[in-house]
Amino acid sequence: MRTTLERWWGLVARLVVGGVWIAAGQAKLPDPSGSVRAVRAYDLLPEGIVPTVGHTLPILELVVGACLVLGLLTRAMSLVSALLFIAFVVGISAAWARGLQIDCGCFGGGGFDADATSQYPWDIARDLGLLALSVLLVWRPRTPLSLDELLFPVDMESLEGQATPT
């Protein structure tokens, strides 16, 4: 059985990752064209889908963040979060490997950044840390103070009995 401390660490992970997604989405939402420019700057996606991704990403980030902060559909939202962080690490790494000097666009902005090369390792490290927290929440989505606990209650004692077959 998970200890109370483990469950509270899960809550911290949920709030940190959710808060980051909300901050990222809020920063991009007021400037949709800036979000499209940031996606385009990576030069990884076909031009035909760049506007759709650029316009959809801030909304997706806000939804994922809100669900994580509220503890709603935690496992599913953490999986989406992990997939997004993998995509972002790949994108930043590809930009770095190709010598592109672009702002990651993670919290708005995007486009040319003369200091980008020195910033890429920090962006990747941040995203890898948040990826690790997202994977933790996929593995252990049950945390205190979550809507999942209210909407989808689980009898932990009955689960313990099922864990070891007789």
Side-chain angles (χ1 to χ4, degrees), residues 3 7-8 46 52 63 69 73 75 90 95 117-118 129 135 155:
T3 66
R7 289 176 42 80
W8 285 101
T52 302
V63 169
V69 166
L73 305 172
R75 177 170 279 147
V90 167
T117 304
S118 65
V135 169
D155 181 9

Side-chain angles (χ1 to χ4, degrees), residues 13 17 74-75 77-83 85-86 127-141:
V17 175
T74 303
R75 177 170 279 147
M77 292 299 111
S78 297
L79 180 60
V80 171
S81 175
L83 293 172
F85 282 123
I86 289 169
D127 287 353
L128 288 174
L130 292 165
L131 170 61
L133 293 176
S134 297
V135 169
L136 170 71
L137 290 167
V138 171
W139 179 49
R140 300 280 195 174

Side-chain angles (χ1 to χ4, degrees), residues 49-159:
I49 66 169
V50 166
T52 302
V53 172
H55 287 111
T56 306
L57 189 58
I59 296 164
L60 179 60
E61 290 171 341
L62 286 170
V63 169
V64 169
C67 285
L68 287 174
V69 166
L70 295 171
L72 180 62
L73 305 172
T74 303
R75 177 170 279 147
M77 292 299 111
S78 297
L79 180 60
V80 171
S81 175
L83 293 172
L84 286 170
F85 282 123
I86 289 169
F88 293 162
V89 167
V90 167
I92 294 167
S93 299
W96 192 11
R98 292 180 294 148
L100 298 179
Q101 296 279 22
I102 58 172
D103 178 81
C104 75
C106 304
F107 298 93
F112 178 76
D113 179 3
D115 191 38
T117 304
S118 65
Q119 191 60 38
Y120 289 148
W122 296 106
D123 293 337
I124 292 169
R126 177 200 59 226
D127 287 353
L128 288 174
L130 292 165
L131 170 61
L133 293 176
S134 297
V135 169
L136 170 71
L137 290 167
V138 171
W139 179 49
R140 300 280 195 174
R142 294 304 226 175
T143 61
L145 306 176
S146 70
L147 288 178
D148 286 344
E149 295 274 306
L150 293 172
L151 297 173
F152 313 110
V154 174
D155 181 9
M156 297 307 266
E157 291 175 15
S158 67
L159 286 180

